[in-house]
Amino acid sequence: MSVAPVKKVCVIGAGTMGAGIAAQVANGGVPVLLLDIVRDENDRNSVAEGAVKRMLKADPAPFMSNRAAKLVETGNIEDHLDKVAECDWVIEAIVEKLSLKQSLYEKLEKVRTPGTAVTSNTSTIPLENLVEGRSDAFKSDFFITHFFNPPRYMRLLELVTGPATDMDLAARIRDFADRVLGKTVVDAKDTPGFIANRIGTLWIQAAINAAMDLGLTVEEADAIAGRPMGVPKTGVFGLVDLVGVDLMPYLQESLTSTLPKDDPYQAIARDIPLINKMIAEGYTGRKGKGGFYRLNREGGQKLKEAVDLSSGHYRKSVKPASLPRAVKSGDLGALIASDDKFGAYAWAILGQTLSYAASLVPEAADDIVAIDEAMKLGYNWKYGPFELIDRIGAATLVERLRADGAPVPSILETAGDRTFYRIEGGKRQYLDLDGEYYDVARPEGVELLADVKLSSQPLMKNASAALWDVGDGVVCLEFTGKMNALDGEVMKLIGKAIPLVAEKYKAMVVYNEGSQFSTGANLGLALFAVNIAAWGEIEKLVAGGQEAYKALKYAPFPVVGAPSGMALGGGCEILLHCDAVQAHAESYIGLVECGVGLIPGWGGCGEMLARWRDMPGLPKGPMPPVAKVFEIVSTATVAKSAAEAKELGFLRKDDGVSMNRDRLLADAKQRALSMVEGYSSPEAPTFNLPGPTGKVALELAVEGFQAQGKATDYDGVVSSHLATVLTGGDTDAADTLTEQQMLELEREAFMALVRNPRSQARVEHMLETGKPLRN
Ligand code: NAI
């Protein structure tokens, strides 16, 4: 089926959600009309315009680039509603009030073109109530698309259709949401809270209740409910602070008023006086005066405090002592069996939450996969509820529930002593309600390395990297070290892989499924070498990296880099050496070496210069590209999206961008395969650089920053070495330098810096704190 593209979208309601959704449509490159009410007669578009202005300053940024912001056209519903006729999709994201939503739909019915999808972002109102009184044609084009906050960063989209919905139209919007907005679309039933918020609200409530009942501190509670369960380390109280303490009574009220009286949530929901008091006094979380945690400033010192759950007063925050061993090992079975308040707490949360999730198939979702996906992508859980059950054992869970006299959902009985997921014939399968296993289906165009790993062994591997056959004649180079750090082993594997690929395959992609593509060289290893003064080893590592990356660049087959998340330092440099890059839109790329007192040492300096020399719009002459690269690298600038990486020259203008993380591998493979026919490796660049006069100019600029207090004394030393490399050392514009000469300059400067104790202090500080030292 080929689906008609969505060429223009209208979002109505420019609040938290509507504005963020409009930004994400624009991030996907599609024009979007953003409408809100008229609040000021003299400035009729002020609400929508104000929302865009606020988003341009917000952090984390809703827009991936300033260019995207230009795709948002603002207006108001009184003057511009007829423009809806030009749109293929109208997303309603106005306040959660049925009468207002209904009256808006009535107006929309008159102006929209039939066949234009109209969807609501409602969190709580049933679909059948929303379309009451509308025509059949409207009902057929209407459904619910429930985004999560913030819409750019949360990957889940719950899609809820009604009995009258045109399923072809829903499929068209689903496809758009998947490919262009980058969302994982999960089908949910038209039941209160849909999937994620229904389970999430019960989970939060259960965790707060149990902490109070069992007498845990908030720190103890979060230590149990966070990491060991694969939940972000904020745990539950930290999460409530993040989303807003004031949201709690609202969520509770919306679920208790809409769920049936016998729903387990009704028994768990309770009014918590402490929360009411906190809200009344403005302690609404991070956006307010503080929440369960707060940073208090006393005598110029920042002091982390936490609420004492029994008295309601703040006290100094303390790390919980004497937690059960299972907290660290992550053995959930052992944790719930632990014979203390921590074990009881873990059980209270998991027993209630997991059995509730199990009871929602098929009521809220067709299968367990939808439930797991919703919790992983909507609440950032590492494991979905059924994956957590597998970690405990369904039979164990049933036994404990029975012992408590709690109801046992039928799907748990169906599982018996089996797991909900299994690997069969190299495929991941899930258990369905009928007691049979079925393959976990991937949408067309979604390929995952995790799936490849289920059915094959790597072509080669060592401690830090692996090479996989990912089909269609393409291999995948995967980094496997901690944080995907790069070291000599990675370089060795690259060296060994090239002849194999040249002989037996067509192309290579550099890709992995870590949350960060690579944060660069293994600094811990480098520091160790420094401490034993193994300068020869360090120089070998630098030279080895340069050689491996150049070998990749000149290999007789196309190499496509496919980053997602951070690609920093050496992780950025490998991308600079690829023939092309297919980047996930959420790629954060940068050469950050100066931050740790070093300079890019694996060929990044020359590659960036060659990039910027060809950048359109730059004045002619040897100095402009040098000054530009110096500015970007000396300040350790990191692009906050793939779009920004193009502006900074880390990516080429024609490099590809995949909005959907799950499509990255398939897209990168396709890009690599499209380059195979007639492939010839790139020609080596040569450089005409300004030499010492250019270096003086760059140093003057840094002195200016130092005078303003924007650069430290040692920043001057580091950037002076960088300036030497970028201006070509002892040369002038009439001289031609080779790529090899540039690499030598880079190596010399790197080695001079790494021997300096102030650089070493920066590296050490970064390893210890994760933050740069401003010495
Ligand atoms: P909000 O209060 O931030 O924004 C609502 C916007 O709608 C305001 O700018 C308001 O001026 C505008 N508005 C009100 N009546 C209007 C009308 N008749 N025509 C045009 N604009 C009108 O609300 P928020 O949080 O953005 O929520 C919007 C919708 O999204 C609600 O249905 C909510 O349930 C849902 N939702 C909210 C989430 C959240 O985390 N805030 C998450 C998922 C869904």
Side-chain angles (χ1 to χ4, degrees):
M1 180 185 70
S2 93
V3 285
V6 171
K7 294 203 198 95
K8 187 167 178 181
V9 174
C10 174
V11 179
I12 307 183
T16 309
M17 293 305 291
I21 294 166
Q24 186 65 357
V25 174
N27 290 335
V30 173
V32 52
L33 174 65
L34 179 63
L35 305 180
D36 205 294
I37 50 173
V38 176
R39 201 166 283 157
D40 177 352
E41 273 309 326
N42 299 317
D43 189 2
R44 297 176 63 84
N45 302 336
S46 64
V47 181
E49 273 169 14
V52 172
K53 277 194 200 129
R54 268 195 304 283
M55 285 199 293
L56 283 169
K57 292 195 205 120
D59 185 29
F63 286 115
M64 291 180 183
S65 67
N66 289 341
R67 249 213 342 236
K70 298 204 173 85
L71 285 171
V72 183
E73 178 189 343
T74 50
N76 68 71
I77 51 163
E78 289 174 28
D79 304 336
H80 307 116
L81 205 61
D82 53 344
K83 287 197 185 180
V84 157
E86 303 160 10
C87 300
D88 304 295
W89 181 14
V90 181
I91 305 170
E92 171 272 302
I94 70 169
V95 281
E96 190 75 338
K97 211 158 170 205
L98 179 61
S99 60
L100 290 179
K101 290 190 195 271
Q102 283 179 336
S103 93
L104 175 65
Y105 301 157
E106 192 179 345
K107 289 184 205 136
L108 277 176
E109 175 134 40
K110 300 195 182 98
V111 290
R112 79 175 184 122
T113 311
T116 291
V118 179
T119 70
S120 176
N121 191 50
T122 180
S123 331
T124 56
I125 307 174
L127 189 146
E128 62 174 326
N129 300 359
L130 292 171
V131 292
E132 230 167 55
R134 299 276 62 76
S135 68
D136 286 350
F138 190 94
K139 284 180 182 160
S140 135
D141 296 344
F142 185 89
F143 47 102
I144 290 170
T145 45
H146 185 236
F147 288 82
F148 283 71
N149 190 22
R152 170 177 164 188
Y153 299 95
M154 296 303 290
R155 283 173 56 199
L156 178 63
L157 177 66
E158 290 174 329
L159 191 143
V160 184
T161 54
T165 305
D166 171 356
M167 295 310 280
D168 285 342
L169 183 62
R172 181 178 168 208
I173 297 303
R174 160 193 283 275
D175 191 67
F176 178 81
D178 169 335
R179 288 170 201 271
V180 182
L181 305 185
K183 299 299 155 206
T184 295
V185 185
V186 169
D187 286 307
K189 305 282 185 68
D190 191 13
T191 50
F194 311 122
I195 304 171
N197 283 343
R198 181 152 173 205
I199 298 171
T201 307
L202 177 134
W203 163 66
I204 292 171
Q205 185 82 53
I208 295 179
N209 291 354
M212 294 187 152
D213 297 348
L214 293 164
L216 273 79
T217 66
V218 295
E219 293 95 332
E220 287 171 340
D222 286 348
I224 301 292
R227 287 246 165 95
M229 300 186 187
V231 167
K233 71 171 192 289
T234 52
V236 168
F237 289 103
L239 175 70
V240 172
D241 282 356
L242 194 68
V243 297
V245 180
D246 51 336
L247 211 64
M248 292 302 109
Y250 168 78
L251 284 173
Q252 182 174 323
E253 143 68 20
S254 91
L255 278 185
T256 45
S257 64
T258 46
L259 284 172
K261 289 286 158 269
D262 60 352
D263 189 275
Y265 179 72
Q266 304 281 11
I268 290 177
R270 58 163 102 142
D271 200 38
I272 298 177
L274 172 61
I275 290 190
N276 299 338
K277 177 173 159 268
M278 285 172 69
I279 298 169
E281 292 172 1
Y283 291 99
T284 50
R286 292 200 198 175
K287 65 180 174 189
K289 295 198 275 185
F292 289 100
Y293 298 95
R294 75 167 175 188
L295 270 185
N296 203 7
R297 273 167 221 278
E298 260 183 22
Q301 291 278 321
K302 275 193 224 162
L303 185 67
K304 191 173 177 192
E305 296 183 328
V307 164
D308 179 308
L309 290 177
S310 44
S311 72
H313 298 310
Y314 281 103
R315 50 151 177 83
K316 184 168 178 271
S317 177
V318 279
K319 256 203 171 142
S322 70
L323 295 171
R325 240 206 329 240
V327 167
K328 221 174 182 165
S329 70
D331 180 344
L332 286 186
L335 184 58
I336 59 172
S338 178
D339 194 15
D340 51 20
K341 66 176 177 180
F342 302 113
Y345 185 60
W347 168 246
I349 299 176
L350 291 173
Q352 294 180 87
T353 309
L354 300 182
S355 64
Y356 191 54
S359 75
L360 295 182
V361 191
E363 188 194 326
D366 281 331
D367 52 47
I368 66 164
V369 183
I371 297 218
D372 280 351
E373 287 276 280
M375 292 317 291
K376 288 192 282 187
L377 300 172
Y379 275 74
N380 289 330
W381 288 12
K382 190 164 173 208
Y383 310 97
F386 292 92
E387 290 167 333
L388 286 170
I389 296 175
D390 278 352
R391 288 180 55 198
I392 296 170
T396 308
L397 182 62
V398 169
E399 209 177 291
R400 287 281 307 249
L401 289 172
R402 285 225 174 90
D404 285 3
V408 176
S410 69
I411 197 165
L412 291 179
E413 310 257 21
T414 307
D417 51 14
R418 295 181 293 171
T419 52
F420 280 103
Y421 292 95
R422 70 171 187 188
I423 310 301
E424 190 70 16
K427 286 237 155 77
R428 188 163 192 247
Q429 297 188 321
Y430 70 96
L431 184 71
D432 212 348
L433 283 169
D434 60 4
E436 301 288 327
Y437 284 96
Y438 298 91
D439 288 351
V440 175
R442 304 281 184 211
E444 187 220 323
V446 170
E447 288 178 35
L448 297 177
L449 187 57
D451 288 349
V452 172
K453 291 180 180 179
L454 296 179
S455 58
S456 63
Q457 293 297 318
L459 298 167
M460 52 178 77
K461 73 168 197 179
N462 61 25
S464 308
L467 193 73
W468 298 88
D469 180 339
V470 288
D472 306 312
V474 181
V475 299
C476 170
L477 171 66
E478 182 198 24
F479 308 138
T480 59
K482 193 174 167 215
M483 297 290 282
N484 290 334
L486 305 170
D487 59 16
E489 291 295 293
V490 175
M491 303 308 166
K492 258 191 232 156
L493 195 117
I494 292 176
K496 272 173 64 185
I498 291 172
L500 175 78
V501 181
E503 193 195 341
K504 294 200 172 133
Y505 293 88
K506 293 181 188 160
M508 176 192 278
V509 295
V510 186
Y511 166 88
N512 63 69
E513 283 164 6
S515 52
Q516 315 302 349
F517 175 73
S518 170
T519 47
N522 186 334
L523 286 180
L525 206 69
L527 194 66
F528 177 74
V530 164
N531 285 335
I532 56 167
W535 307 117
E537 286 307 304
I538 296 179
E539 184 146 19
K540 246 203 266 169
L541 182 69
V542 178
Q546 292 184 337
E547 201 182 306
Y549 283 8
K550 291 300 172 210
L552 210 52
K553 177 176 174 184
Y554 298 113
F557 49 81
V559 179
V560 171
S564 171
M566 287 193 258
L568 304 179
C572 168
E573 288 175 292
I574 196 169
L575 298 175
L576 291 170
H577 286 82
C578 290
D579 293 295
V581 171
Q582 179 74 30
H584 179 214
E586 300 297 351
S587 292
Y588 315 118
I589 307 177
L591 292 171
V592 295
E593 287 86 347
C594 289
V596 288
L598 301 170
I599 61 150
W602 284 336
C605 295
E607 292 299 326
M608 276 298 271
L609 277 179
R611 288 279 168 103
W612 273 94
R613 191 171 52 190
D614 300 338
M615 202 69 101
L618 218 57
K620 291 273 163 273
M623 202 53 197
V626 170
K628 203 66 210 177
V629 174
F630 181 76
E631 179 194 323
I632 295 169
V633 179
S634 66
T635 52
T637 308
V638 177
K640 294 199 179 78
S641 65
E644 248 184 60
K646 288 190 176 189
E647 289 166 18
L648 290 166
F650 295 127
L651 296 180
R652 300 176 178 90
K653 293 279 179 259
D654 55 359
D655 279 335
V657 175
S658 298
M659 288 294 281
N660 193 324
R661 174 71 181 84
D662 291 344
R663 296 185 176 276
L664 185 57
L665 175 58
D667 290 351
K669 272 175 66 181
Q670 206 151 47
R671 180 161 286 261
L673 286 169
S674 75
M675 298 167 73
V676 169
E677 208 182 292
Y679 177 79
S680 61
S681 50
E683 267 177 43
T686 54
F687 301 86
N688 296 88
L689 298 169
T693 50
K695 182 177 169 182
V696 170
L698 297 179
E699 284 175 339
L700 266 178
V702 175
E703 280 165 26
F705 285 123
Q706 284 175 325
Q708 293 168 45
K710 287 184 184 159
T712 65
D713 177 47
Y714 195 57
D715 285 341
V717 177
V718 177
S719 56
S720 165
H721 280 283
L722 177 67
T724 305
V725 181
L726 293 178
T727 54
D730 195 11
T731 183
D732 64 53
D735 266 358
T736 299
L737 296 179
T738 63
E739 196 170 52
Q740 277 309 318
Q741 285 171 306
M742 288 302 293
L743 291 178
E744 279 158 30
L745 281 171
E746 215 183 60
R747 234 165 34 227
E748 262 169 47
F750 186 97
M751 289 311 298
L753 284 168
V754 82
R755 285 170 180 270
N756 190 314
R758 288 199 279 178
S759 288
Q760 294 161 14
R762 283 192 177 191
V763 171
E764 203 165 340
H765 190 267
M766 177 61 76
L767 283 168
E768 270 167 22
T769 66
K771 292 190 185 97
L773 173 70
R774 311 274 298 141
N775 61 350

